[in-house]
Amino acid sequence: MEEKEIYKGLAGVPVDYTAISKVNPETNSLLYRGYPVQELAAHCSFEEVAWLLWYGELPTEEELAAFTAEERKGRALSPTLKGIIDSLPKSAHPMDVVRTAVSVIGANDPETETNTEESNLAKSKRLFAALPAVVAYDQRRRHGLDVVEPREDLDYSQNFLWMSFGEEAAPEVVDAFRVSMVLYAEHSFNASTFTARVIASTTSDLYSAVTGAIGALKGALHGGANEAVMHTFAEIGSAENVKPWLDDALAQKKKIMGFGHRVYKNGDSRVPTMQAAMERMIEHYGRQDMLDLYRTMAEEFVARKGIHPNLDYPAGPTYHLMGFDTPTFTPLFVASRVTGWTAHIMEQNAANALIRPLSVYNGVDQRVVPVRVNS
Ligand code: ACO
């Protein structure tokens, strides 16, 4: 039998071209459509970045005005969707709720089966507008709080925080939220994006591809890590407990969530930008204790293992300080990454080849089915 090489986890294997983002681990840089992500985080709204990912160029003033007006009108959830979310147990993980919500939106969209670029752009914008309301609605219902309806006078980030907490957030908080959305939006062929592209490659619909991507993002080795970081912080408690906690965790060969990356081995290019926004918020909330724990853990882990923090490490505490409950962190990632996923689904459709790799069989050799005497 011919021996085939196995590329476990597809590590280091390029599977297609993309013009959406460029990750360069040597220079620790990440470009969306040619623009450094740090510059986009410094100068652009999340709405502009979403447009950039879909269309390849930043919007003109007129395009942005039309898009934001449409987005503001598309925020409210239908009574059908609210009813289905209400029928789910409050113990359901919010990622399961978001995944279900995308399925429901797809099942109710008369354009679901229309797989043209124009129709898929419209669907991408519909999901972009509706997902914040889904995430906010679910968090409030789980805590037995009244629903806060969207406000058309607020931008995407302001309104997301408004619907989540029922009050207008301080500028530092809105800014940190916007930065997190920009940084989470796109990262080439990560596991969830690849999942979306696999589904799109069968010529399935955009909503099915996004639903599958949400399932892939849920795991702790991918998006679920931002939630896991906060569980770790809760276990450790404060900076002075970091060393004994790490001694114990590493002795048990535990993976420390929020550290390490398949592509970046010398540090995640998004971390300094997210960390700076987090630090501005820590100052706003007067939570030096959180910063001490954050820094001590990072310094100690890097010193011991040489493995650096990824974006989930500063994003977890950022969302915690804003007041989101821990299970809502990964759905926030969904609300952002839906822009990258949908851009990739459209790119896959534009030059499609069914994604169907090979496997090497290592089970038992061919054998004969035993024929029972009485059969
Ligand atoms: N804690 C402890 N050890 C680690 C960690 C970690 N966070 N990350 C890597 N290692 C170790 C592994 O145990 C392994 O050691 P070994 O060679 O002695 O067995 C070695 O480093 C290589 O790790 P792999 O898991 O094989 O590397 P891979 O490239 O597959 O992993 C991954 C990348 C999955 C992200 C890994 O670093 C990890 O599990 N990190 C924690 C989860 C996490 O934070 N995920 C978020 C990813 S970023 C994002 O989604 C925004």
Side-chain angles (χ1 to χ4, degrees), residues 221-222 225 255-260 262 265 301 307 310 312:
L221 295 190
H222 191 9
K255 276 209 166 170
I256 312 301
M257 296 297 133
F259 289 86
R262 172 60 67 79
K265 296 300 177 195
F301 190 65
I307 297 173
N310 58 53
D312 288 324

Side-chain angles (χ1 to χ4, degrees), residues 6-15 23-26 28 187-192 194 220-222 225 255 258-270 307-312:
I6 299 288
Y7 299 96
K8 194 93 173 153
L10 291 178
V13 180
V15 297
V23 183
N24 190 338
E26 278 81 46
N28 260 1
H187 213 213
S188 74
F189 279 33
N190 56 82
S192 56
F194 188 59
L221 295 190
H222 191 9
K255 276 209 166 170
F259 289 86
H261 199 275
R262 172 60 67 79
V263 180
Y264 299 115
K265 296 300 177 195
N266 303 309
D268 180 331
S269 60
R270 302 163 294 180
I307 297 173
H308 296 266
N310 58 53
L311 175 57
D312 288 324

